[in-house]
Amino acid sequence: MTGGGGPPAETLSPAGVPLAPAYSPADSPIDYANDLSDPGRWPYTRGVQANMYRGRLWTMRQYAGFGTARETNQRFRHLLAAGQTGLSVAFDLPTQMGLDSDSPRSLGEVGRAGVAIDTVEDMHELLDGLPLETVSTSMTINATAATLLAMYIVVAEEREIPRNALSGTIQNDILKEYIARGTYIYPPEPSLRLISEVFRFCAKELPNWNPISISGYHIREAGATAVQELAFTLADTIEYVKRAIAAGLPVDSFAPRLSFFFASHNDLFEEIAKFRAARRMYARIMRERFGASDSSCRMRFHTQTGGVTLTAQQPLNNVVRVTIQALAATLGGTQSLHTNGYDEALALPTAQAATLALRTQQILAYESGIANVADPLAGSYYVEHLTNELEARAMELIVKSDELGGSEAAIAAGFFQEEIARSAYEHQLRVENESTVVVGVNRFTDGEPPPPIPAPDFSALEKGQREALTRVKDKRDEQAVEGCLGAIEMSAAAMLTDAAAEPMMPLIIDAVRARCTVGEIADALKNKWGRYDPG
């Protein structure tokens, strides 16, 4: 099929913002001090550092997780040797759901969507030989985030690396799991209390660790628009900050370590405007609602190129899509970036595709010139107009969330979920009627089937992981295991009444030292908190 013709008479951005043929100063009225200011100054619209990438490039943090810890360790070594500057760990579905590899519910899922981690011995193997003192690590984990963080701490401890030398991030954003992704275990209330406990622990024990990465990425992957991604991410942020303050934490004790995670999609200018609007909205919310200091109003975020934008048809086209998305993220001022492999719509990325994705970032950093100036698109009438429009539309949705009682109540009412489902449905209709063009899918097609990608032997992988888990269980002190799990249950019960006798994180760390498993710790909490049923 061949394509032709221009845009329709009325042009809308992907988020539904009407677009004029051209823009002038009248279309983007700006109060410079309150709406823009210089880079590195409140409200940080133009970036969180005065010199941005001239001082330090964004962290190139490629996401990886392959079956076993040993295989993933090999991929990390390959990427570090190729110039990657940060680690990012993908965990398999059982690990995310608090299930051990020998659980009947894990059958067929071990190692498929990421690395399988059952005990701290797996974490040792995952991180073997990697310089934890100098490389930051991001872990995409939520319901079991406290346990995986404890495992990382124990690995460092057993390698005699001090806690204050560790840097990284756990995602730990459970609200977006109820909204979009589904890897929750416990009901919202105890889950939010555990997150506040992680905030408290990190503020005291891990000064260079981000205790949460509040994620718009998965909201966007579920079908949200850029406006919804902004609104729902910041509505969740408001809930987390309120909960932490209610737990007795001063806002400036934890807010400087809050981090964020956004998607970057194909509309170059809308995505750039989204990132600029996100910083400004966050700065205003933190100052106006919570009285935070300027250092607590800086939004630092990681970006990943859009997984749902990748196509199995003509997969090499994805190289171009990823480049556009990476350009938007860097022009938008991201602090770290993952670029997807071109073959990820087919399978876990091959080493060749992962390396090319990293090279894409390196070419942007060192050859494109975008790192020479902070916020080079500031002053574009179009970009400033889009930034204003996205902020205004996102704030309307945040107000609706507030009226429902905040993010937790809005989730319970199905508000976020219904909004996203409607947007996803409307997008699919536009693809099907070709008003939204996807090159190689509904326009410029060639009829060729997607190329085959070899897959690992997951049955053998699962068998090996279960055998390794059995070996750890055979060697450990079962009396110590029972004592640690019992202590966690007691603290979990007390946490429900706001009368926890002692903080939870040290108890989880003790359990990890005793070689308790991810599933055993999750079950100890579930015994007191129950399992979330969305109804």
Side-chain angles (χ1 to χ4, degrees), residues 389-510:
E389 280 292 312
L390 294 180
E391 178 177 8
R393 290 165 182 251
M395 283 306 305
E396 290 176 3
L397 290 175
I398 291 175
V399 168
K400 290 182 181 179
S401 172
D402 290 340
E403 290 170 349
L404 289 168
S407 186
E408 183 184 0
I411 291 166
F415 170 62
F416 296 161
Q417 300 93 310
E418 290 172 7
E419 288 287 315
I420 294 168
R422 184 180 303 110
S423 294
Y425 176 69
E426 291 171 352
H427 171 76
Q428 185 59 34
L429 288 181
R430 291 193 298 272
V431 172
E432 290 178 4
N433 67 28
E434 296 188 31
S435 58
T436 291
V437 174
V438 183
V439 173
V441 175
N442 65 3
R443 191 85 64 87
F444 311 107
T445 57
D446 58 16
E448 293 294 322
I453 299 289
D457 184 346
F458 286 110
S459 296
L461 185 156
E462 184 171 312
K463 181 175 181 290
Q465 186 67 20
R466 291 184 177 207
E467 290 171 350
L469 177 55
T470 298
R471 288 193 294 271
V472 173
K473 288 182 176 181
D474 287 344
K475 292 179 181 179
R476 67 187 186 178
D477 181 339
E478 289 299 327
Q479 187 173 355
V481 167
E482 291 177 11
C484 289
L485 296 175
I488 289 172
E489 284 200 28
M490 289 179 61
S491 181
M495 192 179 284
L496 290 176
T497 61
D498 288 325
E502 54 186 314
M504 177 75 77
M505 274 301 297
L507 300 179
I508 296 176
I509 292 170
D510 286 343

Side-chain angles (χ1 to χ4, degrees), residues 278-333:
R279 280 192 296 271
R280 186 163 71 198
M281 292 173 70
Y282 179 69
R284 288 172 169 168
I285 287 168
M286 293 301 288
R287 177 185 279 187
E288 295 167 8
R289 295 197 183 207
F290 302 110
S293 66
D294 280 6
S295 64
S296 296
C297 294
R298 286 188 174 97
M299 172 185 269
R300 298 168 299 110
F301 60 88
H302 171 73
T303 307
Q304 181 173 341
T305 57
V308 295
T309 69
L310 302 177
T311 64
Q313 301 93 329
Q314 302 178 20
L316 285 174
N317 293 347
N318 295 326
V319 175
V320 183
R321 294 186 178 102
V322 167
T323 303
I324 292 169
Q325 295 162 10
L327 183 62
T330 50
L331 287 172

Side-chain angles (χ1 to χ4, degrees), residues 14-353:
V17 178
L19 302 179
Y23 286 85
S24 71
D27 296 302
S28 53
I30 293 294
D31 176 341
Y32 188 81
N34 291 314
D35 295 336
L36 290 178
S37 194
D38 295 338
R41 296 179 63 87
W42 194 94
Y44 306 108
T45 312
R46 302 190 60 197
V48 294
Q49 300 295 337
N51 59 355
M52 286 303 289
Y53 304 138
R54 287 181 69 161
R56 178 185 176 184
L57 287 171
W58 63 91
T59 300
M60 300 179 192
R61 191 187 302 280
Q62 294 299 102
Y63 187 48
F66 292 85
T68 67
R70 182 175 299 279
E71 290 171 307
T72 305
N73 177 269
Q74 291 170 353
R75 176 59 62 87
F76 283 150
R77 289 170 181 257
H78 168 80
L79 289 169
L80 288 172
Q84 176 171 295
T85 53
L87 305 178
S88 184
V89 186
F91 297 96
D92 73 353
L93 192 58
T95 304
Q96 295 181 53
M97 297 295 294
L99 300 170
D100 291 330
S101 295
D102 60 0
S103 167
R105 294 180 61 203
S106 299
L107 186 64
E109 291 293 341
V110 175
R112 282 188 178 269
V115 60
I117 300 291
D118 292 313
T119 72
V120 72
E121 298 298 342
D122 293 323
M123 187 68 82
H124 266 294
E125 193 165 35
L126 176 70
L127 303 172
D128 181 47
L130 302 179
L132 304 188
E133 307 95 323
T134 58
V135 174
S136 66
T137 304
S138 173
M139 296 190 284
T140 301
I141 195 74
N142 296 286
T144 55
T147 301
L148 273 294
L149 175 59
M151 289 184 174
Y152 196 91
I153 291 168
V154 171
V155 167
E157 177 183 286
E158 293 178 354
R159 287 169 53 175
E160 299 184 345
I161 300 171
R163 290 180 182 179
N164 62 9
L166 302 178
S167 63
T169 305
I170 44 171
Q171 193 163 100
N172 203 25
D173 174 7
I174 202 64
L175 289 174
K176 67 95 174 49
E177 299 296 330
Y178 304 122
I179 294 170
R181 193 161 173 266
T183 62
Y184 45 72
I185 303 173
Y186 323 111
E189 188 62 36
S191 296
L192 288 166
R193 295 189 185 190
L194 181 57
I195 288 170
S196 294
E197 158 66 4
V198 173
F199 282 13
R200 181 207 61 77
F201 176 83
C202 289
K204 182 179 179 182
E205 300 285 343
L206 294 175
N208 299 310
W209 197 274
N210 301 322
I212 194 168
S213 176
I214 305 167
S215 176
Y217 180 85
H218 301 98
I219 291 170
R220 190 68 178 277
E221 289 286 285
T225 65
V227 166
Q228 292 167 336
E229 181 186 5
L230 276 175
F232 301 159
T233 303
L234 288 168
D236 287 350
T237 302
I238 293 166
E239 187 78 46
Y240 290 128
V241 174
K242 285 166 55 179
R243 292 302 185 119
I245 292 171
L249 298 175
V251 65
D252 290 325
S253 73
F254 66 87
R257 299 307 305 181
L258 299 182
S259 65
F260 293 81
F261 177 24
F262 289 111
S264 187
H265 280 209
N266 288 331
D267 192 288
L268 180 70
F269 294 104
E270 182 170 88
E271 295 301 299
I272 293 166
K274 178 189 74 180
F275 297 129
R276 300 172 83 250
R279 280 192 296 271
R280 186 163 71 198
M281 292 173 70
Y282 179 69
R284 288 172 169 168
I285 287 168
M286 293 301 288
R287 177 185 279 187
E288 295 167 8
R289 295 197 183 207
F290 302 110
S293 66
D294 280 6
S295 64
S296 296
C297 294
R298 286 188 174 97
M299 172 185 269
R300 298 168 299 110
F301 60 88
H302 171 73
T303 307
Q304 181 173 341
T305 57
V308 295
T309 69
L310 302 177
T311 64
Q313 301 93 329
Q314 302 178 20
L316 285 174
N317 293 347
N318 295 326
V319 175
V320 183
R321 294 186 178 102
V322 167
T323 303
I324 292 169
Q325 295 162 10
L327 183 62
T330 50
L331 287 172
T334 193
Q335 277 60 66
S336 66
L337 177 62
H338 165 87
T339 34
N340 290 327
Y342 65 82
D343 54 5
E344 287 190 53
L346 300 166
L348 294 172
T350 59
Q352 179 190 39

